[in-house]
Amino acid sequence: IGPTGDAGPTGDTGATGPTGPSGTESVTNAPGAATPISRTIPADTLAANGDTLEFEIWGFTGDGATLTVTFGSTTILSAPVAGNNQFRVVGTILRVGAGSQLATVVCNDDGTHTLNNTTPAEDETTSITLTGNFGAGTTWAFQAMIVRKWDV
């Protein structure tokens, strides 16, 4: 067997792959102990049927309390969280019509799951606040909230 020859010329560049869905992501860092966490969703973010928000919220509690997540004036989750536990909330809000959404939210409280499906009717032509809160008189802290927006 003889010696290996010189390397040949570089080939042509391959085709560019398809563009993924457009979206945006925003992160809210921990606001501090016993402080609600929120993100204002700008007006017309859910402008077309099929537009979707996905969100995650997480933190920990020092004593048992009820975690409430609201989308505008609609409570989309109310879940008990045991004391001295970490928790994680994952949710999806889907626009199905003008002023009509579907929401599904699950809270994982160290292995205990609470699932809630709701039908908010928020006016998406105005800004809408997404908020996580435990209320006064308890020991807890949110660590972060991430909100992602997916276009149709």
Side-chain angles (χ1 to χ4, degrees):
I1 297 179
T4 301
D6 293 337
T10 300
D12 294 335
T13 300
T16 300
T19 301
S22 64
T24 56
E25 181 173 309
S26 60
V27 178
T28 301
N29 291 323
T35 302
I37 195 165
S38 65
R39 169 66 61 187
T40 299
I41 311 302
D44 297 317
T45 297
L46 298 175
N49 292 349
D51 283 354
T52 304
L53 292 176
E54 293 178 342
F55 64 92
E56 300 175 54
I57 303 170
W58 63 91
F60 58 91
T61 63
D63 53 355
T66 298
L67 169 61
T68 302
V69 178
T70 56
F71 178 64
S73 62
T74 305
T75 298
I76 58 176
L77 178 73
S78 181
V81 177
N84 298 312
N85 271 356
Q86 299 178 31
F87 64 88
R88 183 178 188 90
V89 174
V90 178
T92 302
I93 301 167
L94 170 71
R95 178 191 156 138
V96 293
S100 180
Q101 304 87 31
L102 298 176
T104 185
V105 186
V106 65
C107 177
N108 180 348
D109 167 22
D110 264 356
T112 300
H113 296 84
T114 302
L115 172 68
N116 195 42
N117 296 312
T118 57
T119 54
E122 301 297 326
D123 178 1
E124 63 275 322
T125 64
T126 63
S127 63
I128 304 169
T129 302
L130 179 67
T131 303
N133 194 7
F134 277 102
T138 59
T139 305
W140 48 270
F142 291 102
Q143 293 177 300
M145 172 190 273
I146 299 173
V147 179
R148 296 177 193 91
K149 195 258 184 177
W150 301 102
D151 297 324
V152 176

